[in-house]
Amino acid sequence: MKKKADKSVSDNLNAKNTDLLNNTAVQTGKEFLTTNHGVRISDDQNSLKAGERGPTLLEDFHFREKMTHFDHERIPERIVHARGSAAHGVFKVYEPMAKYTKAGFLNDTNRETPVFVRFSTVGGSRGSTDMARDVRGFAVKFYTEEGNFDLVGNNMPVFFIQDAMKFPDFVHAVKPEPNNEIPQASSAHDTFWDFISLAPESAHMIMWLMSDRAIPRSYRMMEGFGVHTFRFINQDGISSFVKFHWKPLLGMHSVTWDEAQNISGKDPDFHRRDLWEAIESGSFPEWELGVQIVAEADEHKFDFDLLDPTKLIPEEIVPVVKIGKMTLNRNPDSFFAETEQVAFHVGHIVPGIDFTNDPLMQGRLFSYTDTQLSRLGGPNFHEIPINRSIAPVNNNQRDGMHRQTINTGKVSYNPNSLASGCPFQAGKMDGGFSSYAEKIDAHKIRNRSKSFFDHFSQATLFFNSQTEPEKKHIIDALKFELGKVETIAIRQRMLYILQEIDPVLAQEVAKGLRLDIPKNIGLVNQLVPADIDPKSYQPVYPKELAITESPSLSIIQNMVNSLKTIATRKVAIIASDGANENSIMNVKKDLLSEGAVVHIIAPTDNYIIAENEAKIMVDKTLLTTASVLYDAVYVAGGAASIATLKNDGDAIHFLNEAFKHCKPIAASLDAKEILELTYFANKLSKDKGIVMESDLTVLSKQFIMAMSQHRFWERENYGKIPA
Ligand code: HDD
């Protein structure tokens, strides 16, 4: 078999190059097994021994080299965001952004900037489930012609803490407890809520974490945010503040918490598989890059501080302007070489973009390089192919662990005359980076700005902006998480904090926990200095623009404006021997033409024989898959198939569970008998998410319409539903 040659990012960018390398590989005999030093191996099956039954010899250099390399295959996993998946793609700007930024990739509309994007969870280890209730990392490396720009964001626009000084404390609290390393990939435990209940600055982020945003249906269906306020700098050196957003073209979708927990068992790689399969099948995930731009002069016009990473700018106040599109179109070749070794850094910026004094961002500027030193083993991690810039790299840095560049000549200092002064510093006209000359005249202090102390207004705004089902999900999530907390005082402190956010929210959670909301919790208040009135920050923003609701914060309200597509949604068609072929294939054809992914699921594997003797291939069985892995389910018709499925507990469970998770369910009219065996039999005619039809064309149409609505949340009011 022809073997692929090893590739670097720049090789990957150039298909011609890759072909050339492949040919070279064959010509140079790369098909032979060799040691790492190029000696061809004649036997890779047995170690070298003294006699057939004798001991292994120390001299076996091939065995020792192979085993030593194997013994060192793992590198330390990331301290946070250890679990992740990534893909390659491209970014293209719609219109030149010269008015605001001189960044080349945001000005040249013909340029396709290569990107590498890594999505992740935060708390769990490398092998943990994708479906934890957690923030998702959304880190984008733009390989621009002016150097790498990393937008190291999350799928939530705010953060837990305001100052990087608290990051190690926050991470220690959320990670598994250190005495027994329990629980894995979950915030539902004492140390997390202990910290949160004592750090009221986390109130806003906690609302996001308890919302459906923390259990996305797919990486492809979530928003991304740069979180901090950045600066754009134009050619004239004029600065504007900017917040970055990623808007998924498939719209936003989430799963239910019960479903997430089930998926964690049935397919812990759910998001990883979903991203991989979508790209393999050519359904390339796409996001639009959006920006909220605020003029320098308007910095203090908001009722919060733009430098505070626990605050967002409501889109209703400063609209998100979509300025370009990112398409992920290629899976990595090597998980380790690319996804594991990629090193993102908030400090990787290019001319036209700059930092602000957000104290969380400032701390991150130190942390990311520092962590790579131990994770990737030294200061040369920029030479790992996935991290290499496509812009030329020339400087006087030399040597160090794992150095790959072979520098020539004797000059490694500046200024020099022996190398004619090379490499030169680049002036402004040559694209040299120069920091924004922000005026600073201040006392050195260890304190927070007064403008950072309103911890609750935006938490309340978030809660108020949710629809009723979404509010219920937040309440249920809090009941679940706090219900797992063993220390009653922590639960009580959280109720006190929730009361500050919204009294109804606090009461509902308190009811679930059967606790009273405490009137006063001394410890929490100690964190707000006595001389600070959190409401004292006086905005100059016109009062009439103050808002109490922001629909863009709600997934459901966002759906109203998003594309009504069912593209890439997964549909299960349940059938057995004796099924009506048309009832399967016609509906499947209609769903495929809308871009859905369709699996035929039967009690047994490989194939079924339809009532007309046609052989129909089966994708999964009721044993190897589950309803939680699909977006919708359809039961095909055909007397014999129906008779079999009526007696199949797994088939009935499949439907019950799909109903419980509020998913669209369709059945050929003759298969109604199966639906009558479910616990939702009495809802068949009333439920908007159930389609039963004998005319298959009408059925497909109605089913597709139901699927485009994603979920039928009203079912959650039917009372406790077994599954
Ligand atoms: Fe961080 C990884 C996002 C605050 C320190 N962070 C990491 C990744 C993402 C973020 C997406 C994974 C990158 C990848 O896929 O390899 N982090 C954020 C966001 C934050 C944030 C959006 C708040 C706005 N982080 C933050 C702070 C610090 C760090 C305040 C420390 C001061 N983050 C790290 C780290 C990691 C990391 C320990 C672990 C692995 C790595 O950097 O490369 O340095």
Side-chain angles (χ1 to χ4, degrees):
M1 207 182 88
K2 191 172 143 186
K3 284 192 82 182
K4 270 203 209 167
D6 293 346
K7 290 188 276 178
S8 70
V9 174
S10 30
D11 296 330
N12 279 336
L13 301 176
N14 186 334
K16 270 193 204 148
N17 244 351
T18 314
D19 284 341
L20 203 70
L21 281 171
N22 282 341
N23 291 336
T24 322
V26 175
Q27 280 157 21
T28 54
K30 248 204 159 180
E31 66 271 29
F32 289 116
L33 191 69
T34 71
T35 66
N36 283 337
H37 300 92
V39 175
R40 288 186 186 177
I41 308 282
S42 62
D43 184 340
D44 189 45
Q45 318 304 319
N46 304 292
S47 48
L48 187 69
K49 299 179 203 73
E52 257 175 27
R53 302 180 61 243
T56 304
L57 296 175
L58 190 60
E59 103 174 34
D60 188 350
F61 63 88
H62 171 46
F63 170 80
R64 277 190 289 112
E65 180 193 88
K66 184 175 175 181
M67 203 49 67
T68 306
H69 196 277
F70 169 76
D71 290 344
H72 297 265
E73 269 177 11
R74 293 289 170 273
I75 59 173
E77 65 173 37
R78 289 169 175 82
I79 294 170
V80 283
H81 297 265
R83 168 85 187 167
S85 304
H88 293 271
V90 291
F91 172 79
K92 220 170 168 182
V93 71
Y94 293 146
E95 298 291 336
M97 294 296 293
K99 183 173 173 201
Y100 301 107
T101 174
K102 60 184 174 189
F105 78 109
L106 295 178
N107 277 294
D108 184 350
T109 51
N110 293 320
R111 225 199 258 189
E112 275 204 336
T113 300
V115 296
F116 188 67
V117 181
R118 183 173 180 271
F119 303 105
S120 45
T121 52
V122 178
S125 291
R126 223 188 106 173
S128 59
T129 172
D130 283 341
M131 292 306 288
R133 173 177 293 285
D134 201 351
V135 188
R136 298 299 184 286
F138 194 133
V140 182
K141 191 180 280 293
F142 295 85
Y143 302 92
T144 89
E145 290 172 21
E146 293 80 22
N148 289 351
F149 167 52
D150 293 354
L151 188 53
V152 199
N154 281 337
N155 74 331
M156 299 179 187
V158 289
F159 203 64
F160 295 92
I161 48 169
Q162 295 173 320
D163 191 312
M165 183 68 117
K166 300 310 294 167
F167 192 68
D169 299 283
F170 160 69
V171 174
H172 288 172
V174 68
K175 282 273 180 181
E177 297 186 5
N179 51 351
N180 54 15
E181 185 87 358
I182 297 175
Q184 180 58 248
S186 167
S187 52
H189 59 109
D190 281 44
T191 56
F192 177 72
W193 289 101
D194 188 24
F195 176 84
I196 294 298
S197 67
L198 295 169
E201 70 203 69
S202 63
H204 187 193
M205 183 63 164
I206 284 303
M207 287 294 98
W208 284 82
L209 187 68
M210 295 299 111
S211 80
D212 294 347
R213 300 263 185 166
I215 37 175
R217 157 67 180 83
S218 158
Y219 290 139
R220 303 175 293 121
M221 299 169 196
M222 61 184 202
E223 291 187 329
F225 303 89
V227 183
H228 312 284
T229 304
F230 288 76
R231 285 178 192 279
F232 266 162
I233 310 289
N234 71 11
Q235 202 63 50
D236 301 324
I238 308 290
S239 151
S240 324
F241 294 106
V242 58
K243 291 265 193 196
F244 291 108
H245 296 245
W246 290 110
K247 301 274 186 190
L249 286 187
L250 287 174
M252 264 189 287
H253 295 299
S254 288
V255 300
T256 72
W257 178 229
D258 181 67
E259 198 181 353
Q261 292 176 86
N262 272 298
I263 296 173
S264 288
K266 300 276 183 185
D267 186 8
D269 305 307
F270 187 68
H271 283 157
R272 178 175 289 182
R273 194 185 306 284
D274 169 272
L275 180 67
W276 179 275
E277 286 180 351
I279 294 174
E280 287 299 294
S281 70
S283 304
F284 298 145
E286 292 175 316
W287 286 261
E288 289 189 295
L289 178 65
V291 289
Q292 286 175 299
I293 295 178
V294 175
E296 186 82 22
D298 292 341
E299 179 175 5
H300 299 291
K301 286 194 174 171
F302 299 90
D303 58 357
F304 56 88
D305 195 327
L306 285 180
L307 301 186
D308 176 354
T310 66
K311 305 295 186 295
L312 52 82
I313 310 179
E315 293 184 28
E316 291 72 12
I317 293 181
V318 179
V320 174
V321 182
K322 292 167 184 163
I323 65 166
K325 192 165 80 175
M326 175 170 78
T327 307
L328 298 185
N329 55 17
R330 186 162 60 83
N331 278 316
D333 289 311
S334 159
F335 185 91
F336 180 83
E338 300 173 87
T339 310
E340 197 59 9
Q341 289 198 316
V342 67
F344 292 96
H345 184 4
V346 194
H348 292 162
I349 52 168
V350 290
I353 298 174
D354 212 331
F355 313 119
T356 58
N357 297 332
D358 170 343
L360 194 73
M361 186 191 219
Q362 293 284 319
R364 292 178 79 192
L365 293 176
F366 165 75
S367 177
Y368 288 76
T369 313
D370 186 45
T371 203
Q372 309 309 347
L373 294 179
S374 55
R375 198 171 74 79
L376 298 172
N380 288 314
F381 57 86
H382 60 281
E383 294 189 329
I384 296 172
I386 194 68
N387 295 324
R388 278 185 209 156
S389 140
I390 58 167
V393 174
N394 288 315
N395 59 40
N396 294 313
Q397 293 170 34
R398 293 291 184 272
D399 309 344
M401 289 286 217
H402 314 304
R403 183 66 171 182
Q404 293 182 37
T405 306
I406 302 176
N407 296 103
T408 54
K410 56 184 168 187
V411 175
S412 55
Y413 54 88
N414 178 292
N416 70 65
S417 67
L418 294 180
S420 311
C422 288
F424 290 106
Q425 292 179 173
K428 196 178 154 200
M429 298 317 289
D430 305 312
F433 183 90
S434 56
S435 294
Y436 177 67
E438 183 182 356
K439 185 171 183 302
I440 294 176
D441 177 13
H443 293 285
K444 200 190 281 181
I445 55 161
R446 218 182 253 286
N447 209 339
R448 285 193 206 179
S449 167
K450 267 187 191 168
S451 54
F452 276 40
F453 278 101
D454 173 10
H455 301 318
F456 298 112
S457 296
Q458 287 209 348
T460 307
L461 176 70
F462 182 84
F463 187 70
N464 283 346
S465 306
Q466 305 302 309
T467 58
E468 282 312 311
E470 289 169 307
K471 281 186 177 169
K472 184 174 176 300
H473 295 168
I474 294 175
I475 292 165
D476 286 349
L478 281 159
K479 286 199 273 195
F480 177 94
E481 296 265 323
L482 296 175
K484 298 267 183 176
V485 168
E486 286 168 13
T487 310
I488 299 302
I490 297 176
R491 295 183 181 192
Q492 285 173 320
R493 275 206 303 269
M494 271 318 298
L495 290 175
Y496 179 82
I497 297 236
L498 295 179
Q499 167 102 327
E500 295 283 319
I501 299 172
D502 184 273
V504 177
L505 165 70
Q507 277 153 25
E508 287 301 312
V509 179
K511 244 192 266 170
L513 299 176
R514 274 264 170 138
L515 284 175
D516 293 328
I517 303 168
K519 301 242 165 345
N520 201 340
I521 299 279
L523 255 176
V524 178
N525 287 335
Q526 277 174 27
L527 289 186
V528 180
D531 59 335
I532 288 191
D533 168 8
K535 306 268 183 232
S536 69
Y537 185 57
Q538 288 303 322
V540 252
Y541 210 81
K543 274 247 171 338
E544 59 275 16
L545 280 183
I547 54 168
T548 51
E549 278 187 34
S550 166
S552 57
L553 300 179
S554 143
I555 295 180
I556 293 181
Q557 299 199 67
N558 260 289
M559 270 184 72
V560 177
N561 302 321
S562 72
L563 278 174
K564 295 276 177 294
T565 174
I566 66 158
T568 77
R569 302 286 186 78
K570 281 180 94 171
V571 188
I573 298 187
I574 302 188
S576 185
D577 284 338
N580 178 289
E581 188 188 16
N582 285 343
S583 142
I584 297 180
M585 297 320 260
N586 290 7
V587 174
K588 179 173 173 175
K589 186 171 73 41
D590 292 340
L591 292 168
L592 290 179
S593 71
E594 294 288 320
V597 176
V598 182
H599 282 177
I600 295 175
I601 298 168
T604 47
D605 223 329
N606 205 2
Y607 62 87
I608 53 173
I609 305 285
E611 94 193 320
N612 62 356
E613 304 289 312
K615 192 172 169 182
I616 299 176
M617 298 316 286
V618 163
D619 297 288
K620 299 271 178 208
T621 71
L622 289 166
L623 180 69
T624 58
T625 195
S627 86
V628 289
L629 306 178
Y630 294 89
D631 294 296
V633 49
Y634 162 63
V635 191
S641 169
I642 293 168
T644 307
L645 294 174
K646 271 168 69 176
N647 285 312
D648 190 318
D650 288 338
I652 307 296
H653 178 70
F654 201 107
L655 291 164
N656 281 340
E657 214 174 32
F659 185 83
K660 175 175 181 166
H661 299 142
C662 307
K663 294 174 183 174
I665 297 172
S668 156
L669 197 57
D670 53 337
K672 186 178 177 191
E673 299 172 35
I674 303 179
L675 268 52
E676 276 163 352
L677 295 174
T678 62
Y679 62 78
F680 56 92
N682 61 348
K683 298 281 188 294
L684 295 186
S685 55
K686 296 174 215 137
D687 190 286
K688 292 201 192 90
I690 296 177
V691 177
M692 285 180 307
E693 261 293 331
S694 50
D695 180 328
L696 294 176
T697 315
V698 176
L699 184 144
S700 290
K701 222 170 143 192
Q702 290 183 1
F703 189 34
I704 288 165
M705 186 95 83
M707 280 179 65
S708 73
Q709 295 188 39
H710 189 55
R711 301 288 170 110
F712 295 85
W713 297 117
E714 57 274 17
R715 287 186 201 153
E716 290 182 329
N717 300 328
Y718 294 168
K720 285 278 172 238
I721 301 175

